[in-house]
């Protein structure tokens, strides 16, 4: 591993100043970054440790809309087990429990989970071409073993998927991300935080290199009673999603008043299913209506040599997640 400088930042302002220098990266739980450094995928000159900064708080705020604020340094395990998170946003708790392993959840932070990089095997293998790791070298996965790869929003430069479960739930829950930088504080809708690969797959998200994620804010909703996170994977734990679905329904008088749906394991970002949500509103929570919404969700999907199974697995997972969320299953 390349030698690097290690500094502990004393404040958010000190972090923002430090990361403005090229070659500097933030480290918190380190559950992805250290792997990337060991394998030579990334080689920063300097790491800024932020673990001791006061950004672990989970709190509720009153205003026009009641919200929950989750500090960027809150641990995944703490968020997953927080009584108010479980009560208000069971979808988030379920998604966090579906991710990684207990040991990793005890180290990984909310901000780090958002910033984790794809697990495309070609990205990690420095002997292989990869436009994300080294722009302009090509994409090893396009003509390679692409079983885990995307079926939505791909480009000729990259077909990788975002690996997070937590982010799929946060995209479904209309969360927004607070970031601080030299120009002050700004907010990014969670669905706009991660990006599609396009011609520049080296960029995973829309946060600038001199900005620090400080917290995630989730507005309260009426989905707590009917939420479900369903993850389909090769083994029952410590595996990334082949397909996952975050489903949340607001059902009143036997009719779906509102719906939220997002998928993981299918795109370069958590894939929110806006059209399928619309298709559910005003309908009865039946298997037929769920299957119809799943068909709507699959419009525009495109498979590659080894991941065509996702074209059947994804709608089946959407239908099943909706059945579980509604209590039909
Ligand atoms: Fe690299 Fe993306 Fe291609 Fe994987 S899919 S090899 S991350 S460019």
């Amino acid at each position: 591993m390349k030698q690097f400088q290690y500094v502990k930042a004393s404040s958010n302002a000190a972090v923002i100043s430090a990361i403005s220098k090229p070659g500097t990266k933030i480290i918190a739980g380190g559950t992805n970054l250290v792997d990337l450094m060991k394998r030579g995928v990334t080689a920063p000159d300097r790491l800024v440790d932020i673990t001791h900064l006061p950004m672990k708080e989970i709190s509720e705020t009153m205003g026009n809309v009641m919200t929950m604020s989750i500090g960027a340094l809150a641990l995944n395990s703490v968020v997953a087990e927080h009584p108010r998170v479980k009560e208000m946003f069971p979808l988030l708790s379920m998604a966090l429990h579906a991710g990684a392993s207990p040991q990793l959840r005890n180290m990984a932070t909310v901000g780090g989970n958002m910033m984790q990089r794809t697990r495309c095997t070609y990205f990690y293998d420095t002997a292989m071409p990869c436009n994300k790791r080294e722009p302009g070298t090509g994409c090893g996965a396009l003509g390679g073993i692409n079983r885990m790869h995307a079926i939505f929003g791909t480009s000729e430069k990259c077909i990788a998927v975002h690996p997070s479960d937590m982010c799929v739930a946060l995209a479904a829950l209309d969360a927004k991300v607070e970031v601080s930088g030299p120009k002050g504080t700004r907010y990014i809708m969670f669905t706009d935080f991660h990006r599609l690969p396009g011609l520049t797959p080296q960029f995973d998200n829309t946060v600038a290199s001199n900005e620090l994620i400080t917290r995630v804010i989730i507005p309260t909703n009426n989905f707590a009673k009917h939420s479900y996170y369903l993850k389909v994977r090769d083994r029952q734990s410590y595996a990334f999603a082949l397909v996952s679905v975050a489903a949340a329904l607001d059902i009143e008088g036997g009719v779906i008043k509102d719906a939220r749906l997002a998928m993981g394991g299918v795109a370069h970002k958590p894939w929110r299913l806006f059209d399928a949500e619309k298709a559910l509103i005003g309908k009865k929570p039946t298997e037929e209506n769920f299957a119809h919404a799943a068909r709507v969700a699959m419009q525009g999907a495109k498979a590659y040599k080894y991941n065509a199974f996702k074209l059947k697995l994804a709608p089946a997972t959407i239908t099943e997640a909706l059945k579980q969320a509604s209590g039909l299953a």
Side-chain angles (χ1 to χ4, degrees), residues 118 120 122-123 129-132 138-141 149 157-160 201:
T118 184
C120 171
Y122 300 95
F123 176 68
C130 172
N131 288 322
K132 186 180 277 297
C139 171
H149 289 72
K157 299 286 183 196
C158 178
I159 60 171

Side-chain angles (χ1 to χ4, degrees), residues 120-122 139-151 154 158-161 242 265 302-310:
C120 171
T121 47
Y122 300 95
C139 171
L142 262 175
I145 304 299
N146 42 40
R147 180 172 174 271
M148 299 296 289
H149 289 72
I151 53 171
T154 55
C158 178
I159 60 171
V161 296
L242 294 165
K302 175 187 167 187
Y304 294 85
K305 187 170 179 187
Y306 294 102
N307 69 355
F309 71 95
K310 290 192 181 186

Side-chain angles (χ1 to χ4, degrees), residues 12 21 49 65 103 219 240 244 282 310 323:
N12 287 9
K21 283 192 191 147
D49 185 344
V65 181
Q103 292 88 343
F240 293 98
S244 68
K310 290 192 181 186
K323 281 169 68 180

Side-chain angles (χ1 to χ4, degrees), residues 103-177:
Q103 292 88 343
L104 286 166
R105 292 196 291 271
N106 277 333
M107 286 298 292
T109 62
V110 165
N113 190 321
M114 292 160 57
M115 295 299 284
Q116 68 177 304
R117 308 212 69 192
T118 184
R119 294 321 198 270
C120 171
T121 47
Y122 300 95
F123 176 68
Y124 283 78
D125 184 346
T126 53
M128 295 301 292
C130 172
N131 288 322
K132 186 180 277 297
R133 177 176 20 84
E134 215 176 322
T137 55
C139 171
L142 262 175
I145 304 299
N146 42 40
R147 180 172 174 271
M148 299 296 289
H149 289 72
I151 53 171
F152 289 107
T154 55
S155 74
E156 75 272 23
K157 299 286 183 196
C158 178
I159 60 171
V161 296
H162 193 264
S164 171
D165 293 294
M166 178 196 81
C167 293
V168 180
L170 288 173
L173 290 169
D174 295 320
K176 63 182 176 183
V177 186

